[in-house]
Amino acid sequence: MSFTPMSGCRGIKCTADINGQCPKQLKAQGGCNNPCTVFRTDKYCCNSSSCGPTALSKYFKKRCPNAYSYPKDDPTSTLTCPGGTNYRVVFCPR
């Protein structure tokens, strides 16, 4: 997926086949679940203030560095653009 602002700020892009590379424990019909949905623990859902990256979030982050991979992944993955920004969205970028 590519989500690119037409001007003024940084966009995101991930060309990894996340569904095809989904870890076995997260596989779901037609795709890949997130760890919180599967395990329902604070480690993966981050309901407290003491959570951090896990092996699974690092797995996805390695494949899609711009993606928000765990609840407090703000420094590298929280992007903002000015109101009124136009975007180009491509679901299967090359």
Side-chain angles (χ1 to χ4, degrees), residues 53-67:
T54 65
L56 288 170
S57 69
K58 290 175 184 178
Y59 175 87
F60 290 109
K61 189 71 165 183
K62 181 178 178 183
R63 283 151 183 78
C64 296
N66 298 127

Side-chain angles (χ1 to χ4, degrees), residues 13-68:
K13 182 176 183 177
C14 178
T15 58
D17 178 8
I18 295 299
N19 288 337
Q21 299 174 1
C22 184
K24 183 171 60 175
Q25 65 268 42
L26 300 180
K27 284 195 183 280
Q29 184 174 348
C32 194
N33 276 316
N34 72 63
C36 178
T37 300
V38 173
F39 301 112
R40 299 178 192 262
T41 64
D42 190 52
K43 177 180 180 179
Y44 296 108
C45 298
C46 195
N47 296 319
S48 70
S49 61
S50 62
C51 59
T54 65
L56 288 170
S57 69
K58 290 175 184 178
Y59 175 87
F60 290 109
K61 189 71 165 183
K62 181 178 178 183
R63 283 151 183 78
C64 296
N66 298 127
Y68 197 76

